[in-house]
Amino acid sequence: EVSTDDPETAFCTLANREELNPEEGSIHHCLYQFTRNETLTETNKLLCDVCTQRHCGPKNNIKSEKKYVYTNAKKQMLISLAPPILTLHLKRFQHAGFNLRKVNRHIKFPEVIDLAPFCTAKCKNVAEGNTKVLYSLYGVVEHSGTMRSGHYTAYVKMRAMNNHLSDLVLRGQTQALETEPVKGQWFHISDTHVQPVSVSKVLSSQAYLLFYERLL
């Protein structure tokens, strides 16, 4: 979807991201880097229809690609619609020459995460005046092994039915009072083996996939 926004607010977020100062090796730092403001120059310049028409006249008069005008631009990827369920997929591989190598580095992630610094100032399903978009962790997928072989396990929180989540999914309601993690017991699941674990065990896992549900 391409839209034209006021240049003064196009790169604004619900909460001031410049005050984050996220810790390197954390999910906040990953999100900060993914949504950073980029400058497109040189070979990455943007094709500008307005500049092209100003320089060459109407589009139907353009007979050669050489007549297109490219210009420097800014690019930023932000969240325009906060989902009821937030799924974060961590890139767990890197190129080592012509080979792929698994990344085993631990990435810190919280029980409750605020997406406001990564949402547009006009996020579609956030009430006007809200400066927080909170999510509570309820599931983690972990991979052990290498790029060639390994085993997937999961951490899942068992808790009472979340009526607020049902409202979000079925009726699109976004008002809520919850700002704390949803209470419940965490379990580690490996094939048919299931055992209860502490939240500290969950937060120390080598997350591959993270699952959060909307609180606020």
Side-chain angles (χ1 to χ4, degrees):
E1 179 183 349
V2 178
S3 60
T4 302
D5 292 330
D6 183 344
E8 295 297 324
T9 60
F11 297 97
C12 294
T13 51
L14 279 175
N16 189 350
R17 60 189 282 116
E18 300 309 321
E19 296 179 356
L20 275 180
N21 193 25
E23 179 183 358
E24 188 172 350
S26 68
I27 199 69
H28 287 97
H29 187 259
C30 294
L31 288 168
Y32 186 87
Q33 289 295 101
F34 187 76
T35 59
R36 72 186 186 279
N37 194 320
E38 301 177 58
T39 301
L40 306 179
T41 60
E42 299 180 353
T43 58
N44 292 320
K45 284 184 178 181
L46 190 70
L47 172 61
C48 178
D49 290 336
V50 175
C51 301
T52 299
Q53 291 181 34
R54 185 184 300 126
H55 182 73
C56 306
K59 282 186 178 181
N60 54 14
N61 290 334
I62 300 173
K63 299 179 180 180
S64 170
E65 185 178 349
K66 293 182 181 179
K67 291 186 177 181
Y68 284 102
V69 177
Y70 293 82
T71 184
N72 294 337
K74 288 184 179 180
K75 170 189 171 184
Q76 186 173 27
M77 296 180 67
L78 295 171
I79 298 168
S80 62
L81 182 69
I85 296 295
L86 173 68
T87 304
L88 299 176
H89 182 185
L90 300 180
K91 183 179 177 182
R92 282 292 181 183
F93 67 89
Q94 65 182 29
H95 289 277
F98 293 102
N99 299 316
L100 289 177
R101 182 172 59 190
K102 183 182 175 185
V103 177
N104 290 309
R105 180 182 182 182
H106 174 66
I107 300 298
K108 295 181 180 179
F109 55 94
E111 272 194 274
V112 173
I113 189 168
D114 184 7
L115 277 193
F118 317 110
C119 293
T120 64
K122 298 179 181 179
C123 198
K124 296 174 184 176
N125 58 344
V126 175
E128 187 175 353
N130 279 7
T131 57
K132 289 184 179 294
V133 184
L134 301 180
Y135 287 81
S136 178
L137 184 72
Y138 75 90
V140 180
V141 172
E142 184 178 44
H143 178 268
S144 58
T146 65
M147 292 292 295
R148 294 181 178 275
S149 65
H151 181 58
Y152 289 96
T153 59
Y155 293 91
V156 179
K157 180 186 282 188
M158 186 180 74
R159 70 275 195 272
M161 177 65 181
N162 189 336
N163 292 324
H164 169 57
L165 181 59
S166 298
D167 289 338
L168 279 171
V169 174
L170 299 177
R171 291 182 284 277
Q173 297 179 8
T174 58
Q175 295 297 325
L177 298 177
E178 301 97 324
T179 57
E180 298 295 327
V182 176
K183 294 181 180 179
Q185 173 62 55
W186 281 96
F187 289 89
H188 183 232
I189 303 170
S190 178
D191 293 333
T192 59
H193 183 67
V194 180
Q195 65 175 358
V197 293
S198 65
V199 65
S200 60
K201 174 70 174 175
V202 176
L203 297 180
S204 65
S205 64
Q206 297 281 61
Y208 178 56
L209 289 167
L210 296 169
F211 299 90
Y212 289 86
E213 62 180 325
R214 180 93 175 264
L215 289 178
L216 181 65

